[in-house]
Amino acid sequence: GICLIGPVFAYLDQAISHVLFIINRVAWPLIAIIVSVGYLWLVTKGQHWWLTFLGLNNLTLFGLDFLFPLTSTAHFAQAGALVAIKLAHPKQHQAKLNSALKNALFCIIEPALYDFNLQKKSRFYSTLFACAISSIFLAAFGARNYAFPTSFLSFVNPNNPTWHWIILGLISIFIAFSVSLTLVYVFEKIAHPAAVQVVSAIKGKVSPISKASDPTFASGKLGRGVIVEPQANVCQLYAPISGKIVMIAPDNHAFGIQGINGVQILVHVGIDTVKMKKPPVRLNVKENDLVKCRQRIGVVNVAAINKTGFKPETMIVILNSQDYLVKNGKKQILFTIREK
């Protein structure tokens, strides 16, 4: 069996590589766009190793490859987007940004994607565009990779080393980085609102946070916000904004969402409900899930909370509200609450 399968797959590998090179020779601009954009999409699905396999197969058979140069632009496009976010929002999540930026420069782009650039379509699409432009530039000059892992130094042919490809490689990095940085920065500045708008995480009567029964919330130490007093026996829970679930309490009575523009919202259901033997809150999301505003994410047994003598009032708080309070020396509306 091995004697039969081995030669079959050897010929199949050669056929795949030959076909890829022929297609690239005929339609290199299209291939540049498909590979660069497709690589980022595959990363979000955890399937980018398929392109790695094809690139390594080309290197093994021919000693060179055209796929790796087209995917190399992704790291610097992600890095450019992160720098733009740092510049647009200098007071927000800098430590996490710095860590993601360092990883992106060392070819690990998942933190940049999942923690920042996938949270907002304008960021992700900007990086896709930057990747495509930089890859078309490389493809136009016939970029090839002669070693793995990939860097602009890998573009140099060891049998005929010149400065030519080092210079072109650095230019491609500059294109991916600068295009992504410029686009993301512009979109961040255009889209960043003076006031944060959220929907109510639960249906009920809305009151100022100062009326909360819990003195910690009422004092505003955790941030500005509102309380909602549920009216029904069983209430649905909704995501108050689009973003990423960054925290869920062990008994589900509280959860945190980091939304677009870095806004951090805490939803805390009930007063002292953590003391209940049977948790009254059931969530159908987990940490690191991406959610859309108004998406159903759980249910609250309000009747059970009332039966035990605890209060079901729900606090919706912007933890980093200091970033949204002042503009041009004047206090702004913190956020507009809307019913689901």
mmCIF file of all heavy atoms in Angstrom, residues 77-94 96-97 100 111-113 115-120 122-124 127 180-189 258-262:
data_model
loop_
_atom_site.group_PDB
_atom_site.id
_atom_site.type_symbol
_atom_site.label_atom_id
_atom_site.label_comp_id
_atom_site.label_asym_id
_atom_site.label_seq_id
_atom_site.Cartn_x
_atom_site.Cartn_y
_atom_site.Cartn_z
ATOM 1 N N ALA A 77 0.280 44.639 8.166
ATOM 2 C CA ALA A 77 -1.019 45.305 8.072
ATOM 3 C C ALA A 77 -1.711 45.300 9.434
ATOM 4 O O ALA A 77 -2.291 46.304 9.856
ATOM 5 C CB ALA A 77 -1.894 44.621 7.031
ATOM 6 N N GLN A 78 -1.616 44.178 10.148
ATOM 7 C CA GLN A 78 -2.192 44.108 11.491
ATOM 8 C C GLN A 78 -1.465 45.061 12.441
ATOM 9 O O GLN A 78 -2.084 45.728 13.269
ATOM 10 C CB GLN A 78 -2.107 42.675 12.023
ATOM 11 C CG GLN A 78 -2.937 41.657 11.264
ATOM 12 C CD GLN A 78 -4.412 41.993 11.276
ATOM 13 O OE1 GLN A 78 -4.990 42.270 12.317
ATOM 14 N NE2 GLN A 78 -5.028 41.974 10.105
ATOM 15 N N ALA A 79 -0.156 45.110 12.304
ATOM 16 C CA ALA A 79 0.630 46.008 13.161
ATOM 17 C C ALA A 79 0.263 47.466 12.899
ATOM 18 O O ALA A 79 0.130 48.275 13.836
ATOM 19 C CB ALA A 79 2.123 45.790 12.920
ATOM 20 N N GLY A 80 0.088 47.832 11.638
ATOM 21 C CA GLY A 80 -0.297 49.195 11.309
ATOM 22 C C GLY A 80 -1.642 49.571 11.908
ATOM 23 O O GLY A 80 -1.823 50.690 12.411
ATOM 24 N N ALA A 81 -2.581 48.630 11.884
ATOM 25 C CA ALA A 81 -3.902 48.884 12.472
ATOM 26 C C ALA A 81 -3.796 49.113 13.973
ATOM 27 O O ALA A 81 -4.470 49.986 14.530
ATOM 28 C CB ALA A 81 -4.831 47.710 12.179
ATOM 29 N N LEU A 82 -2.943 48.339 14.634
ATOM 30 C CA LEU A 82 -2.781 48.500 16.086
ATOM 31 C C LEU A 82 -2.177 49.855 16.437
ATOM 32 O O LEU A 82 -2.581 50.497 17.414
ATOM 33 C CB LEU A 82 -1.902 47.374 16.638
ATOM 34 C CG LEU A 82 -2.483 45.961 16.566
ATOM 35 C CD1 LEU A 82 -1.489 44.952 17.111
ATOM 36 C CD2 LEU A 82 -3.801 45.867 17.331
ATOM 37 N N VAL A 83 -1.203 50.295 15.650
ATOM 38 C CA VAL A 83 -0.605 51.610 15.899
ATOM 39 C C VAL A 83 -1.657 52.703 15.708
ATOM 40 O O VAL A 83 -1.711 53.676 16.474
ATOM 41 C CB VAL A 83 0.601 51.847 14.967
ATOM 42 C CG1 VAL A 83 1.099 53.284 15.084
ATOM 43 C CG2 VAL A 83 1.729 50.875 15.307
ATOM 44 N N ALA A 84 -2.511 52.538 14.706
ATOM 45 C CA ALA A 84 -3.574 53.514 14.477
ATOM 46 C C ALA A 84 -4.530 53.577 15.667
ATOM 47 O O ALA A 84 -4.953 54.668 16.079
ATOM 48 C CB ALA A 84 -4.354 53.143 13.215
ATOM 49 N N ILE A 85 -4.856 52.428 16.233
ATOM 50 C CA ILE A 85 -5.741 52.392 17.404
ATOM 51 C C ILE A 85 -5.072 53.065 18.589
ATOM 52 O O ILE A 85 -5.703 53.807 19.355
ATOM 53 C CB ILE A 85 -6.128 50.943 17.739
ATOM 54 C CG1 ILE A 85 -6.925 50.324 16.584
ATOM 55 C CG2 ILE A 85 -6.954 50.876 19.024
ATOM 56 C CD1 ILE A 85 -7.150 48.829 16.712
ATOM 57 N N LYS A 86 -3.757 52.840 18.749
ATOM 58 C CA LYS A 86 -3.008 53.485 19.834
ATOM 59 C C LYS A 86 -3.053 55.006 19.689
ATOM 60 O O LYS A 86 -3.232 55.736 20.670
ATOM 61 C CB LYS A 86 -1.544 53.019 19.819
ATOM 62 C CG LYS A 86 -1.312 51.637 20.397
ATOM 63 C CD LYS A 86 0.125 51.163 20.160
ATOM 64 C CE LYS A 86 1.132 52.032 20.854
ATOM 65 N NZ LYS A 86 1.081 51.904 22.321
ATOM 66 N N LEU A 87 -2.886 55.491 18.475
ATOM 67 C CA LEU A 87 -2.870 56.923 18.236
ATOM 68 C C LEU A 87 -4.259 57.541 18.391
ATOM 69 O O LEU A 87 -4.404 58.665 18.902
ATOM 70 C CB LEU A 87 -2.333 57.212 16.828
ATOM 71 C CG LEU A 87 -0.867 56.843 16.573
ATOM 72 C CD1 LEU A 87 -0.521 57.056 15.104
ATOM 73 C CD2 LEU A 87 0.058 57.654 17.462
ATOM 74 N N ALA A 88 -5.279 56.801 17.946
ATOM 75 C CA ALA A 88 -6.643 57.332 18.004
ATOM 76 C C ALA A 88 -7.221 57.299 19.410
ATOM 77 O O ALA A 88 -8.047 58.138 19.765
ATOM 78 C CB ALA A 88 -7.543 56.551 17.047
ATOM 79 N N HIS A 89 -6.784 56.316 20.209
ATOM 80 C CA HIS A 89 -7.329 56.152 21.566
ATOM 81 C C HIS A 89 -6.174 55.991 22.552
ATOM 82 O O HIS A 89 -5.941 54.902 23.081
ATOM 83 C CB HIS A 89 -8.257 54.936 21.629
ATOM 84 C CG HIS A 89 -9.241 54.886 20.511
ATOM 85 N ND1 HIS A 89 -10.257 55.798 20.361
ATOM 86 C CD2 HIS A 89 -9.366 54.017 19.466
ATOM 87 C CE1 HIS A 89 -10.969 55.507 19.291
ATOM 88 N NE2 HIS A 89 -10.445 54.436 18.724
ATOM 89 N N PRO A 90 -5.433 57.065 22.814
ATOM 90 C CA PRO A 90 -4.205 56.964 23.618
ATOM 91 C C PRO A 90 -4.413 56.568 25.076
ATOM 92 O O PRO A 90 -3.461 56.154 25.729
ATOM 93 C CB PRO A 90 -3.616 58.379 23.521
ATOM 94 C CG PRO A 90 -4.781 59.260 23.219
ATOM 95 C CD PRO A 90 -5.679 58.440 22.354
ATOM 96 N N LYS A 91 -5.636 56.657 25.580
ATOM 97 C CA LYS A 91 -5.867 56.346 26.989
ATOM 98 C C LYS A 91 -6.435 54.946 27.204
ATOM 99 O O LYS A 91 -6.721 54.554 28.335
ATOM 100 C CB LYS A 91 -6.842 57.369 27.594
ATOM 101 C CG LYS A 91 -6.295 58.785 27.654
ATOM 102 C CD LYS A 91 -7.305 59.714 28.313
ATOM 103 C CE LYS A 91 -6.768 61.129 28.403
ATOM 104 N NZ LYS A 91 -7.748 62.047 29.044
ATOM 105 N N GLN A 92 -6.592 54.195 26.148
ATOM 106 C CA GLN A 92 -7.312 52.925 26.264
ATOM 107 C C GLN A 92 -6.417 51.719 26.004
ATOM 108 O O GLN A 92 -5.660 51.685 25.055
ATOM 109 C CB GLN A 92 -8.496 52.900 25.289
ATOM 110 C CG GLN A 92 -9.519 53.994 25.572
ATOM 111 C CD GLN A 92 -10.572 54.070 24.497
ATOM 112 O OE1 GLN A 92 -10.776 53.131 23.754
ATOM 113 N NE2 GLN A 92 -11.261 55.194 24.411
ATOM 114 N N HIS A 93 -6.561 50.720 26.851
ATOM 115 C CA HIS A 93 -5.945 49.383 26.755
ATOM 116 C C HIS A 93 -4.575 49.372 26.090
ATOM 117 O O HIS A 93 -4.318 48.616 25.146
ATOM 118 C CB HIS A 93 -6.871 48.393 26.052
ATOM 119 C CG HIS A 93 -7.608 48.936 24.850
ATOM 120 N ND1 HIS A 93 -6.973 49.365 23.722
ATOM 121 C CD2 HIS A 93 -8.922 49.117 24.638
ATOM 122 C CE1 HIS A 93 -7.873 49.773 22.835
ATOM 123 N NE2 HIS A 93 -9.063 49.639 23.380
ATOM 124 N N GLN A 94 -3.642 50.229 26.559
ATOM 125 C CA GLN A 94 -2.325 50.331 25.940
ATOM 126 C C GLN A 94 -1.465 49.089 26.167
ATOM 127 O O GLN A 94 -0.741 48.655 25.266
ATOM 128 C CB GLN A 94 -1.605 51.577 26.457
ATOM 129 C CG GLN A 94 -2.227 52.890 25.997
ATOM 130 C CD GLN A 94 -2.179 53.063 24.494
ATOM 131 O OE1 GLN A 94 -1.118 53.046 23.879
ATOM 132 N NE2 GLN A 94 -3.337 53.201 23.869
ATOM 133 N N LYS A 96 -2.366 45.959 26.557
ATOM 134 C CA LYS A 96 -2.821 44.871 25.692
ATOM 135 C C LYS A 96 -2.473 45.150 24.239
ATOM 136 O O LYS A 96 -2.103 44.241 23.479
ATOM 137 C CB LYS A 96 -4.332 44.702 25.854
ATOM 138 C CG LYS A 96 -4.857 43.351 25.399
ATOM 139 C CD LYS A 96 -6.310 43.181 25.814
ATOM 140 C CE LYS A 96 -6.786 41.766 25.510
ATOM 141 N NZ LYS A 96 -8.197 41.562 25.930
ATOM 142 N N LEU A 97 -2.579 46.421 23.844
ATOM 143 C CA LEU A 97 -2.200 46.811 22.484
ATOM 144 C C LEU A 97 -0.723 46.567 22.229
ATOM 145 O O LEU A 97 -0.337 46.045 21.180
ATOM 146 C CB LEU A 97 -2.528 48.289 22.273
ATOM 147 C CG LEU A 97 -3.836 48.641 21.581
ATOM 148 C CD1 LEU A 97 -4.101 50.133 21.679
ATOM 149 C CD2 LEU A 97 -3.819 48.202 20.133
ATOM 150 N N ALA A 100 -0.075 42.860 21.741
ATOM 151 C CA ALA A 100 -0.549 42.391 20.432
ATOM 152 C C ALA A 100 0.344 42.903 19.312
ATOM 153 O O ALA A 100 0.602 42.193 18.339
ATOM 154 C CB ALA A 100 -1.989 42.833 20.221
ATOM 155 N N PRO A 111 -3.647 37.637 18.319
ATOM 156 C CA PRO A 111 -4.063 38.630 19.323
ATOM 157 C C PRO A 111 -4.554 39.933 18.694
ATOM 158 O O PRO A 111 -5.525 40.524 19.165
ATOM 159 C CB PRO A 111 -2.785 38.849 20.141
ATOM 160 C CG PRO A 111 -2.013 37.584 19.994
ATOM 161 C CD PRO A 111 -2.267 37.148 18.583
ATOM 162 N N ALA A 112 -3.888 40.377 17.640
ATOM 163 C CA ALA A 112 -4.309 41.609 16.969
ATOM 164 C C ALA A 112 -5.692 41.442 16.347
ATOM 165 O O ALA A 112 -6.549 42.328 16.437
ATOM 166 C CB ALA A 112 -3.289 41.999 15.893
ATOM 167 N N LEU A 113 -5.912 40.294 15.737
ATOM 168 C CA LEU A 113 -7.199 40.042 15.082
ATOM 169 C C LEU A 113 -8.329 39.910 16.092
ATOM 170 O O LEU A 113 -9.330 40.631 16.036
ATOM 171 C CB LEU A 113 -7.115 38.767 14.241
ATOM 172 C CG LEU A 113 -6.562 38.901 12.817
ATOM 173 C CD1 LEU A 113 -6.334 37.535 12.207
ATOM 174 C CD2 LEU A 113 -7.508 39.716 11.954
ATOM 175 N N ASP A 115 -8.503 40.358 19.473
ATOM 176 C CA ASP A 115 -8.697 41.337 20.545
ATOM 177 C C ASP A 115 -9.014 42.737 20.034
ATOM 178 O O ASP A 115 -9.569 43.549 20.776
ATOM 179 C CB ASP A 115 -7.444 41.404 21.431
ATOM 180 C CG ASP A 115 -7.253 40.139 22.252
ATOM 181 O OD1 ASP A 115 -8.247 39.428 22.474
ATOM 182 O OD2 ASP A 115 -6.113 39.858 22.659
ATOM 183 N N PHE A 116 -8.699 43.017 18.751
ATOM 184 C CA PHE A 116 -8.890 44.389 18.275
ATOM 185 C C PHE A 116 -9.529 44.477 16.894
ATOM 186 O O PHE A 116 -10.592 45.071 16.738
ATOM 187 C CB PHE A 116 -7.549 45.133 18.267
ATOM 188 C CG PHE A 116 -6.957 45.308 19.632
ATOM 189 C CD1 PHE A 116 -5.956 44.447 20.078
ATOM 190 C CD2 PHE A 116 -7.398 46.304 20.484
ATOM 191 C CE1 PHE A 116 -5.408 44.590 21.347
ATOM 192 C CE2 PHE A 116 -6.862 46.454 21.749
ATOM 193 C CZ PHE A 116 -5.871 45.595 22.180
ATOM 194 N N ASN A 117 -8.904 43.906 15.890
ATOM 195 C CA ASN A 117 -9.283 44.220 14.519
ATOM 196 C C ASN A 117 -10.536 43.517 14.026
ATOM 197 O O ASN A 117 -11.154 43.973 13.058
ATOM 198 C CB ASN A 117 -8.104 43.945 13.577
ATOM 199 C CG ASN A 117 -6.942 44.869 13.852
ATOM 200 O OD1 ASN A 117 -7.130 45.974 14.363
ATOM 201 N ND2 ASN A 117 -5.728 44.427 13.551
ATOM 202 N N LEU A 118 -10.924 42.416 14.657
ATOM 203 C CA LEU A 118 -12.181 41.775 14.277
ATOM 204 C C LEU A 118 -13.379 42.392 14.990
ATOM 205 O O LEU A 118 -14.520 42.078 14.663
ATOM 206 C CB LEU A 118 -12.132 40.268 14.580
ATOM 207 C CG LEU A 118 -11.392 39.396 13.571
ATOM 208 C CD1 LEU A 118 -11.326 37.957 14.053
ATOM 209 C CD2 LEU A 118 -12.063 39.455 12.202
ATOM 210 N N GLN A 119 -13.129 43.247 15.953
ATOM 211 C CA GLN A 119 -14.224 43.846 16.705
ATOM 212 C C GLN A 119 -14.917 44.958 15.934
ATOM 213 O O GLN A 119 -15.992 45.412 16.320
ATOM 214 C CB GLN A 119 -13.717 44.374 18.046
ATOM 215 C CG GLN A 119 -13.314 43.266 19.006
ATOM 216 C CD GLN A 119 -13.003 43.796 20.387
ATOM 217 O OE1 GLN A 119 -13.411 44.890 20.744
ATOM 218 N NE2 GLN A 119 -12.286 43.018 21.159
ATOM 219 N N LYS A 120 -14.313 45.395 14.858
ATOM 220 C CA LYS A 120 -14.885 46.485 14.076
ATOM 221 C C LYS A 120 -14.597 46.222 12.605
ATOM 222 O O LYS A 120 -13.448 46.019 12.212
ATOM 223 C CB LYS A 120 -14.268 47.809 14.528
ATOM 224 C CG LYS A 120 -15.059 49.023 14.149
ATOM 225 C CD LYS A 120 -14.462 50.253 14.831
ATOM 226 C CE LYS A 120 -15.256 51.494 14.486
ATOM 227 N NZ LYS A 120 -14.684 52.695 15.113
ATOM 228 N N SER A 122 -14.534 48.098 9.989
ATOM 229 C CA SER A 122 -13.646 49.041 9.303
ATOM 230 C C SER A 122 -12.184 48.703 9.548
ATOM 231 O O SER A 122 -11.335 48.887 8.669
ATOM 232 C CB SER A 122 -13.939 50.472 9.759
ATOM 233 O OG SER A 122 -13.747 50.618 11.155
ATOM 234 N N ARG A 123 -11.867 48.205 10.739
ATOM 235 C CA ARG A 123 -10.483 47.814 11.036
ATOM 236 C C ARG A 123 -10.083 46.600 10.199
ATOM 237 O O ARG A 123 -9.013 46.579 9.564
ATOM 238 C CB ARG A 123 -10.336 47.485 12.517
ATOM 239 C CG ARG A 123 -10.550 48.652 13.458
ATOM 240 C CD ARG A 123 -10.499 48.190 14.906
ATOM 241 N NE ARG A 123 -10.765 49.277 15.846
ATOM 242 C CZ ARG A 123 -10.897 49.109 17.148
ATOM 243 N NH1 ARG A 123 -10.791 47.898 17.673
ATOM 244 N NH2 ARG A 123 -11.153 50.139 17.938
ATOM 245 N N PHE A 124 -10.931 45.583 10.208
ATOM 246 C CA PHE A 124 -10.596 44.335 9.507
ATOM 247 C C PHE A 124 -10.500 44.568 8.007
ATOM 248 O O PHE A 124 -9.551 44.125 7.352
ATOM 249 C CB PHE A 124 -11.637 43.278 9.827
ATOM 250 C CG PHE A 124 -11.335 41.931 9.238
ATOM 251 C CD1 PHE A 124 -10.143 41.286 9.520
ATOM 252 C CD2 PHE A 124 -12.243 41.308 8.389
ATOM 253 C CE1 PHE A 124 -9.856 40.040 8.972
ATOM 254 C CE2 PHE A 124 -11.962 40.069 7.850
ATOM 255 C CZ PHE A 124 -10.772 39.425 8.135
ATOM 256 N N THR A 127 -7.311 46.333 6.992
ATOM 257 C CA THR A 127 -6.134 45.457 6.943
ATOM 258 C C THR A 127 -6.166 44.565 5.708
ATOM 259 O O THR A 127 -5.117 44.277 5.117
ATOM 260 C CB THR A 127 -6.026 44.606 8.215
ATOM 261 O OG1 THR A 127 -7.179 43.766 8.346
ATOM 262 C CG2 THR A 127 -5.907 45.476 9.457
ATOM 263 N N SER A 180 -2.619 50.435 6.133
ATOM 264 C CA SER A 180 -3.476 49.987 7.232
ATOM 265 C C SER A 180 -3.573 51.055 8.316
ATOM 266 O O SER A 180 -4.664 51.375 8.805
ATOM 267 C CB SER A 180 -2.930 48.690 7.820
ATOM 268 O OG SER A 180 -3.733 48.242 8.886
ATOM 269 N N LEU A 181 -2.436 51.625 8.702
ATOM 270 C CA LEU A 181 -2.415 52.655 9.745
ATOM 271 C C LEU A 181 -3.281 53.852 9.343
ATOM 272 O O LEU A 181 -4.097 54.343 10.138
ATOM 273 C CB LEU A 181 -0.979 53.101 9.994
ATOM 274 C CG LEU A 181 -0.724 54.044 11.177
ATOM 275 C CD1 LEU A 181 0.727 53.905 11.657
ATOM 276 C CD2 LEU A 181 -0.983 55.510 10.827
ATOM 277 N N THR A 182 -3.108 54.315 8.108
ATOM 278 C CA THR A 182 -3.844 55.498 7.656
ATOM 279 C C THR A 182 -5.349 55.251 7.638
ATOM 280 O O THR A 182 -6.138 56.056 8.156
ATOM 281 C CB THR A 182 -3.375 55.917 6.251
ATOM 282 O OG1 THR A 182 -1.969 56.179 6.284
ATOM 283 C CG2 THR A 182 -4.115 57.159 5.778
ATOM 284 N N LEU A 183 -5.769 54.136 7.045
ATOM 285 C CA LEU A 183 -7.199 53.847 6.923
ATOM 286 C C LEU A 183 -7.853 53.642 8.285
ATOM 287 O O LEU A 183 -8.922 54.201 8.558
ATOM 288 C CB LEU A 183 -7.406 52.604 6.052
ATOM 289 C CG LEU A 183 -7.092 52.755 4.565
ATOM 290 C CD1 LEU A 183 -7.264 51.423 3.849
ATOM 291 C CD2 LEU A 183 -7.999 53.810 3.930
ATOM 292 N N VAL A 184 -7.227 52.845 9.139
ATOM 293 C CA VAL A 184 -7.813 52.577 10.448
ATOM 294 C C VAL A 184 -7.887 53.855 11.272
ATOM 295 O O VAL A 184 -8.900 54.118 11.938
ATOM 296 C CB VAL A 184 -7.007 51.496 11.198
ATOM 297 C CG1 VAL A 184 -7.513 51.350 12.639
ATOM 298 C CG2 VAL A 184 -7.131 50.157 10.478
ATOM 299 N N TYR A 185 -6.835 54.671 11.230
ATOM 300 C CA TYR A 185 -6.834 55.922 12.000
ATOM 301 C C TYR A 185 -7.975 56.834 11.555
ATOM 302 O O TYR A 185 -8.690 57.410 12.387
ATOM 303 C CB TYR A 185 -5.496 56.635 11.850
ATOM 304 C CG TYR A 185 -5.397 57.900 12.673
ATOM 305 C CD1 TYR A 185 -5.105 57.836 14.030
ATOM 306 C CD2 TYR A 185 -5.616 59.144 12.103
ATOM 307 C CE1 TYR A 185 -5.021 58.990 14.798
ATOM 308 C CE2 TYR A 185 -5.542 60.302 12.854
ATOM 309 C CZ TYR A 185 -5.242 60.219 14.207
ATOM 310 O OH TYR A 185 -5.180 61.360 14.960
ATOM 311 N N VAL A 186 -8.154 56.959 10.249
ATOM 312 C CA VAL A 186 -9.226 57.815 9.719
ATOM 313 C C VAL A 186 -10.593 57.291 10.154
ATOM 314 O O VAL A 186 -11.446 58.054 10.631
ATOM 315 C CB VAL A 186 -9.154 57.898 8.183
ATOM 316 C CG1 VAL A 186 -10.401 58.563 7.617
ATOM 317 C CG2 VAL A 186 -7.911 58.666 7.752
ATOM 318 N N PHE A 187 -10.808 55.995 10.006
ATOM 319 C CA PHE A 187 -12.093 55.416 10.401
ATOM 320 C C PHE A 187 -12.339 55.535 11.902
ATOM 321 O O PHE A 187 -13.469 55.771 12.335
ATOM 322 C CB PHE A 187 -12.173 53.949 9.975
ATOM 323 C CG PHE A 187 -12.453 53.753 8.515
ATOM 324 C CD1 PHE A 187 -11.589 53.018 7.719
ATOM 325 C CD2 PHE A 187 -13.583 54.309 7.941
ATOM 326 C CE1 PHE A 187 -11.845 52.837 6.368
ATOM 327 C CE2 PHE A 187 -13.846 54.133 6.585
ATOM 328 C CZ PHE A 187 -12.982 53.405 5.793
ATOM 329 N N GLU A 188 -11.294 55.368 12.704
ATOM 330 C CA GLU A 188 -11.461 55.483 14.157
ATOM 331 C C GLU A 188 -11.871 56.897 14.544
ATOM 332 O O GLU A 188 -12.724 57.097 15.399
ATOM 333 C CB GLU A 188 -10.153 55.117 14.875
ATOM 334 C CG GLU A 188 -9.777 53.658 14.776
ATOM 335 C CD GLU A 188 -10.769 52.748 15.464
ATOM 336 O OE1 GLU A 188 -10.966 52.899 16.682
ATOM 337 O OE2 GLU A 188 -11.356 51.885 14.782
ATOM 338 N N LYS A 189 -11.277 57.881 13.905
ATOM 339 C CA LYS A 189 -11.589 59.267 14.225
ATOM 340 C C LYS A 189 -12.986 59.656 13.744
ATOM 341 O O LYS A 189 -13.705 60.416 14.394
ATOM 342 C CB LYS A 189 -10.551 60.214 13.604
ATOM 343 C CG LYS A 189 -9.230 60.249 14.358
ATOM 344 C CD LYS A 189 -9.437 60.709 15.794
ATOM 345 C CE LYS A 189 -8.155 60.848 16.552
ATOM 346 N NZ LYS A 189 -8.362 61.285 17.955
ATOM 347 N N GLN A 258 -16.172 44.221 26.062
ATOM 348 C CA GLN A 258 -15.353 45.291 25.496
ATOM 349 C C GLN A 258 -15.861 45.561 24.098
ATOM 350 O O GLN A 258 -15.820 44.690 23.228
ATOM 351 C CB GLN A 258 -13.877 44.906 25.454
ATOM 352 C CG GLN A 258 -13.006 46.006 24.849
ATOM 353 C CD GLN A 258 -11.526 45.731 25.015
ATOM 354 O OE1 GLN A 258 -11.032 45.600 26.124
ATOM 355 N NE2 GLN A 258 -10.822 45.628 23.900
ATOM 356 N N GLY A 259 -16.383 46.768 23.889
ATOM 357 C CA GLY A 259 -17.002 47.088 22.619
ATOM 358 C C GLY A 259 -16.086 47.820 21.677
ATOM 359 O O GLY A 259 -14.891 47.984 21.922
ATOM 360 N N ILE A 260 -16.644 48.277 20.576
ATOM 361 C CA ILE A 260 -15.879 49.056 19.606
ATOM 362 C C ILE A 260 -15.417 50.332 20.270
ATOM 363 O O ILE A 260 -16.032 50.837 21.196
ATOM 364 C CB ILE A 260 -16.728 49.356 18.350
ATOM 365 C CG1 ILE A 260 -17.980 50.130 18.729
ATOM 366 C CG2 ILE A 260 -17.111 48.086 17.633
ATOM 367 C CD1 ILE A 260 -18.812 50.569 17.557
ATOM 368 N N ASN A 261 -14.306 50.858 19.818
ATOM 369 C CA ASN A 261 -13.686 52.063 20.375
ATOM 370 C C ASN A 261 -13.138 51.837 21.778
ATOM 371 O O ASN A 261 -12.778 52.798 22.466
ATOM 372 C CB ASN A 261 -14.666 53.241 20.400
ATOM 373 C CG ASN A 261 -15.200 53.568 19.034
ATOM 374 O OD1 ASN A 261 -14.484 53.424 18.051
ATOM 375 N ND2 ASN A 261 -16.441 53.977 18.953
ATOM 376 N N GLY A 262 -13.119 50.576 22.252
ATOM 377 C CA GLY A 262 -12.516 50.296 23.542
ATOM 378 C C GLY A 262 -13.421 50.477 24.733
ATOM 379 O O GLY A 262 -12.985 50.299 25.877
#
